[in-house]
Amino acid sequence: NLDWIEIVYFPAPDNAAIPFPCHLSIYGSGEIVFRTGRSPRLSNSFSDAVEDPHWNEYFADRMHLNRDEIREVYQVFVDEGIVPKYPARVNKQQVARPYIRVAANISGESVRMATDNKYLVGVTEEAMENFEGTLQTAARAAARERSAHNEAE
C-alpha cells in the first residue's frame, strides 16, 4: 500500500508537556514513526550539522499496526477532513498554535496543507498519545535545559 501521511505538529508555545514540534509518519505498510526534539535531523534527514548544539536532542519511537488497523487510522484522518473536498493549489490560510502541517498521499489524492482545525489537531494529539514515553523524555530534557539556563543567568 503506497498511502502515507506526514504530519508535523506545532504545539502551543506554553505547552510544557510537548515542548518541541513533533513529526508523525504514518505509512501504509503499518509502520508509524514518531520523532521530536530540536536536532537539525528532524527537519532534514540528510543534515550533517553535527556541531549544532542541539544535534543529540532527537527523540524517536515507532510502532507497527496490521493492515486493518492502519486502514482505520487512515479512515479517521479522511473522515476528519485531511483530504479536502475542494483542495486549493496553495494553502494561504493563517494558522495559530497548536496546528499541524500535513503532506499525504491517500488513495492517489495528494495533500499539502497547514491547519489549526481542532478536529485534525485533536486526532493528531490522540495519535501522539501512543508515544507518551518519548514525549515525557523530551519534556524532561527541555526542563533540564531551561533549569541549567536559568541557573547560568
Side-chain angles (χ1 to χ4, degrees):
N1 189 331
L2 299 177
D3 290 346
W4 53 270
I5 302 173
E6 293 281 341
I7 300 172
V8 181
Y9 173 87
F10 295 90
D14 59 349
N15 188 340
I18 306 175
F20 310 119
C22 300
H23 297 247
L24 196 60
S25 303
I26 305 169
Y27 303 115
S29 63
E31 182 177 41
I32 300 176
V33 179
F34 176 79
R35 299 171 312 282
T36 190
R38 292 193 299 178
S39 175
R41 296 178 290 164
L42 285 163
S43 58
N44 178 359
S45 298
F46 301 102
S47 175
D48 62 356
V50 296
E51 301 302 321
D52 185 289
H54 305 294
W55 179 260
N56 289 319
E57 291 179 35
Y58 184 96
F59 307 93
D61 197 1
R62 64 185 60 226
M63 65 186 301
H64 295 270
L65 302 177
N66 69 37
R67 185 176 297 260
D68 291 335
E69 291 169 328
I70 203 69
R71 274 193 212 125
E72 286 179 35
V73 170
Y74 282 117
Q75 194 59 53
V76 167
F77 279 101
V78 169
D79 290 348
E80 292 299 338
I82 203 167
V83 179
K85 290 181 181 164
Y86 306 105
R89 283 198 164 279
V90 177
N91 183 342
K92 294 183 179 180
Q93 171 189 355
Q94 294 293 319
V95 293
R97 288 182 177 220
Y99 74 92
I100 59 173
R101 189 177 65 217
V102 180
N105 185 10
I106 302 174
S107 298
E109 295 285 333
S110 291
V111 176
R112 299 275 186 275
M113 65 191 260
T115 183
D116 54 6
N117 172 296
K118 67 180 181 177
Y119 300 109
L120 286 172
V121 169
V123 168
T124 302
E125 291 169 339
E126 287 176 24
M128 289 173 19
E129 288 174 6
N130 290 294
F131 303 99
E132 188 66 31
T134 306
L135 280 168
Q136 289 173 355
T137 300
R140 283 192 301 272
R144 279 193 302 274
E145 182 172 315
R146 277 193 307 274
S147 177
H149 179 73
N150 291 340
E151 288 176 9
E153 289 181 348

